[in-house]
Amino acid sequence: MAASSRDGAGAPSPGAPARPPLPGGRFAAHGSLAGQLVRIALLSVFTAFGVWAVLPLYVAGNWWGIGLVAVVVGLVYYVYLSKRAVPAKYLVPGVVFLLAFQILPVLYTMSTSVTNLSDGHRSDKAQAIAAIEAFSVTRDPDSPEYVLTVATTGDPGTGELAFLLTDGEGHAYVGTADGLSDLSGADVDPAGKVTDAFGYTILSPTEVNARSDELQEFAVPTGDGAGIRSSGLSSAFEGSAVRVYDQGCDCVTDTETGEVHTADDERGAFYNEDGQRLAQGWQVNVGLDNFARFLLNPTFAGSFFGILLWNLVFAASVTGLVFVVGLAIALTLHVPRMRGRVLYRVLVILPYAMSSLAMFLLWRDMFNTDFGLFNRMLGLQIDWLGDVWTARAAVILANVWLGYPYMFLVATGALQAIPRELGQAAQIDGAGPWQAFRHVTLPLLMVAMTPILIATFAFNFNNFNAVWLITRGGPFSPDNPTAGGTDLLITYTYRLAFNEATAQYGYAAALSVMIFLIVSVISVVSLSRSKALKEVDR
Amino acid sequence: MRNTALAPDAPETFEELVEIGTELKDAGDTSEVLAMAVGQEGEPFRMNALFTSAGGYLFGQDDTGTWDPTDLGVGSDASVAAMEKIAEYGEDGEGVLRRSIDVENDANLFYEEEAPFFVAGPWNVGDANEAGVDFEISPIPGFEGEAPASPYIGYHAFFVTEGSANSALAQEFVTNYVTSTDFILSLYEADPRTPVQNEALESVSADDATIAAIAEAGADGMPMPSIPEMGETWDPLGQAQAQAIAGGDVREAMEAAHDTIAEQIGQ
């Protein structure tokens, strides 16, 4: 804070070279007291955020993360306390947010897309092996169930664990990592819990819980690979792991059937000779397999390109229609002699003001064959959402209804900015209304509208809600239940990657990267081809 | 659920249900025979009762009741025949089962007395009481001369997540407390669902006729197959069933669903 109060004096340091005036430079040099206070307050809040972000990273031992936070905080301090970095003062927040919320997620998605991250491939190999062994522990037949009291021979937090066990006949044992032996002279309560035993400290439930991880691993060996394991805090049973991992052959052997599953580090799971795998696998790098899966597999490729085509048609027709409808209404309400324009404008904006989620569901119900508004009002029996083309029309219709008010708003604003004199001048030169609109108003309008149209296209290209809430991608043809008639790439991705049983993050990430590339290419090409935007840049 | 004002007696068979419902519909008392959600995507969860009665099956079971994921039955002749029988009541048949009835409007059809029968679940009981309909709960009837209808029985279970914090306390809770009758009863008091423990069920059923009726309706029911492969069946099977109801080629639809599921579960 000392540094910032010194800056507050605002006096240029003696001997500093004269600098050309920079935008905002005047304020930087002669900050008011209020400005100083705001700066100190914002930096304090930012520092607090930094500390808040570091704490969990420190607990997790993530030094890279801590370093990153420190660099960002340091950079922000430098930029906002230094008098030299004036342009950066304006750019840093935007750049930081761009990096954090745009670039990082894209990079993370890309890095995920070359892995097999999915259910059954979430952890590393060591955890998978531990899970396989733990999952295969079965209670030995005819083995007694013990009442368990967890104790230790030393300090409650660190001493070696010992199981004080009583069987159904009230006989007491002590089990340690070395084996099972008789326990004499212990006090046992009626439920079978040991309340006091010489040489052992009995742990309270909280103390046992603090050592949960050890307890999971702990087994009192009883020979032949069997062991007494805990089941909660107060019971224990004798059982053995049926599946045992052997580092020598890098395989898991079933001790009952003798079946061997060998580790496949390319696919991240244990496979037997017949190609059957164990459920618990681990995450590995699979290169471009996820991409190859839908580009080269004939079934997926056919669906993919069919859906891509419809996706383009959908986004283009929704964008075109909302533009035409929105602009038409904006032009109508732009006529100066029209009465009640404010009221009309409010009414037109209403669909935009309502929750689109609820609206999509409402539209879905209006398209119901027997109970829907459309068929009832028009006396029709059209299976709107059951036929591919009517379903596509329904999705576009609902989306246009929800989308045109936004286009209307933008067009109204842009129209206000175009001087009416231009249109009048065109009329004096002999242009008809259409010619005046086509050659004067529209080109000027497009300057403001083109970026909006590109954004609308990109948004509708990925308009998950519009399709998922109305048709869930359906209707489906009998020979292909994975790709529906109204599926967009994003809903198709969702169904393939996250259908109820298994989440396939790696595969979904690969599809997302494809969608990202398609939308980026379309946006960049249309932006660079658009002359309108060049005028904005000027 | 059955509207006792419209249909005083519980039907013994699905045919009888359709007959009673059709009489009411023809007389103008109701507009629907049965409120059973199908929807555009199908409802395999609800359809399972009729599907099993007509002889369909999803996965085979061995003698001990263990599910066998390698025995996928969606495209089997038995399952195709079952869906063909059900499709007789579909849109090209009796029109009792239709895709336009879905999970959004099925309950309202019953509450507004537009349908005398409703394939419902315990989650509908509260709303049904509020709607002021006189209703009774009875098992979903199976087809005449066929197996009894087996609706899915849902139940809540407690799992300890692998590698979770506080796993010792969580295991203790699950193994030694969740199983106690007092705990099950306190769950019932918090949310009146059918208790999953016989002692608790008996003590609750004595006072709560609805719970007793639900337990009875589920007597022929089956727990949903608890194998991971089950999750891959819902979407393809639902779509195939919706197509069968719509009047499409049943065999083609069921075999396509079979192939999709088989591919998803790696067969």
Side-chain angles (χ1 to χ4, degrees), chain A residues 169-495:
Chain A
E169 289 147 16
H171 202 95
Y173 306 89
V174 58
T176 62
D178 298 327
L180 193 68
S181 53
D182 284 334
L183 178 69
S184 51
D187 294 340
V188 180
D189 73 6
K193 286 283 244 186
V194 175
T195 52
D196 190 38
F198 180 73
Y200 295 101
T201 315
I202 289 166
L203 299 182
S204 72
T206 329
E207 285 165 346
V208 181
N209 185 54
R211 304 178 68 173
S212 287
D213 291 345
E214 281 173 77
L215 196 68
Q216 294 260 318
E217 306 275 315
F218 189 79
V220 179
T222 52
D224 287 343
I228 298 175
R229 290 174 167 81
S230 73
S231 161
L233 303 176
S234 49
S235 56
F237 63 93
E238 187 174 341
S240 44
V242 175
R243 287 179 170 148
V244 182
Y245 175 72
D246 180 2
Q247 201 154 18
C249 64
D250 198 12
C251 64
V252 171
T253 310
D254 193 308
T255 53
E256 277 180 7
T257 62
E259 197 178 15
V260 177
H261 288 82
T262 312
D264 181 342
D265 283 319
E266 306 242 305
R267 290 189 282 180
F270 289 97
Y271 287 88
N272 68 4
E273 288 171 354
D274 306 332
Q276 298 281 340
R277 57 166 286 186
L278 296 177
Q280 298 92 339
W282 59 98
Q283 193 182 332
V284 293
N285 206 320
V286 295
L288 298 176
D289 281 5
N290 288 324
F291 294 91
R293 189 165 147 197
F294 60 80
L295 289 178
L296 303 181
N297 180 319
T299 326
F300 285 157
S303 307
F304 179 79
F305 289 109
I307 289 169
L308 176 62
L309 184 66
W310 153 244
N311 202 340
L312 290 168
V313 171
F314 169 79
S317 49
V318 169
T319 310
L321 284 170
V322 294
F323 177 65
V324 170
V325 175
L327 182 61
I329 297 175
L331 283 170
T332 314
L333 295 183
H334 192 59
V335 177
R337 55 178 188 278
M338 179 137 177
R339 284 187 190 170
R341 284 195 293 173
V342 175
L343 178 69
Y344 283 126
R345 281 186 180 151
V346 169
L347 286 178
V348 167
I349 293 167
L350 270 185
Y352 187 51
M354 290 187 235
S355 150
S356 66
L357 241 67
M359 289 301 110
F360 283 130
L361 295 176
L362 203 67
W363 277 85
R364 179 197 64 194
D365 288 347
M366 291 200 292
F367 285 119
N368 188 302
T369 316
D370 291 326
F371 311 102
L373 184 77
F374 287 108
N375 280 353
R376 286 217 162 171
M377 265 178 58
L378 305 172
L380 297 171
Q381 263 296 319
I382 296 176
D383 184 8
W384 286 96
L385 303 182
D387 178 84
V388 175
W389 285 105
T390 50
R392 286 176 176 175
V395 174
I396 291 179
L397 184 64
N399 231 348
V400 169
W401 188 78
L402 277 160
Y404 83 86
Y406 176 65
M407 209 48 83
F408 159 78
L409 273 179
V410 177
T412 302
L415 280 172
Q416 314 274 12
I418 299 173
R420 286 181 193 276
E421 290 79 12
L422 289 178
Q424 288 160 1
Q427 278 182 346
I428 291 167
D429 284 346
W434 168 250
Q435 280 177 311
F437 169 74
R438 174 71 188 81
H439 296 290
V440 178
T441 315
L442 192 61
L444 288 168
L445 203 59
M446 289 313 284
V447 175
M449 298 295 276
T450 308
I452 302 288
L453 288 177
I454 294 169
T456 306
F457 182 88
F459 173 78
N460 278 301
F461 195 87
N462 279 327
N463 201 334
F464 180 85
N465 287 352
V467 168
W468 197 256
L469 294 178
I470 295 179
T471 63
R472 282 175 59 94
F476 295 84
S477 75
D479 55 336
N480 191 356
T482 54
T486 57
D487 255 333
L488 301 181
L489 286 177
I490 192 77
T491 55
Y492 177 64
T493 306
Y494 184 80
R495 182 173 315 102

Side-chain angles (χ1 to χ4, degrees), chain B residues 35-62:
Chain B
M36 175 166 160
V38 177
Q40 294 287 352
E41 306 285 303
E43 271 292 319
F45 182 80
R46 286 166 174 75
M47 190 59 81
N48 193 59
L50 297 179
F51 186 60
T52 49
S53 169
Y57 75 102
L58 296 187
F59 292 105
Q61 266 174 305
D62 68 11

Side-chain angles (χ1 to χ4, degrees), chain A residues 127 131 205 208-209 212 215-216 230-235 300 364 368-371 383 385-386 471-472 474 476-479 481-482 495 499-502 504, chain B residues 32 40-41 91 98-102 104-105 109 162 164 166-172 175-176 228 231-232 234-236 239 243 252-253 256-257 260 263-264:
Chain A
Q127 284 171 312
V208 181
N209 185 54
S212 287
L215 196 68
Q216 294 260 318
S230 73
S231 161
L233 303 176
S234 49
S235 56
F300 285 157
R364 179 197 64 194
N368 188 302
T369 316
D370 291 326
F371 311 102
D383 184 8
L385 303 182
T471 63
R472 282 175 59 94
F476 295 84
S477 75
D479 55 336
T482 54
R495 182 173 315 102
N499 59 18
E500 282 138 284
T502 47
Q504 305 184 47
Chain B
E32 294 294 334
Q40 294 287 352
E41 306 285 303
E91 289 170 29
R98 295 199 312 280
R99 287 169 299 157
S100 59
I101 301 178
D102 56 27
E104 310 293 331
N105 59 23
L109 286 172
E162 188 190 325
S164 60
N166 305 316
S167 63
L169 285 180
Q171 253 191 20
E172 173 71 3
T175 46
N176 294 323
E232 304 288 354
W234 296 111
D235 282 1
Q239 286 152 18
Q243 273 151 19
E252 192 190 346
T260 308
E263 193 177 330
Q264 288 282 353

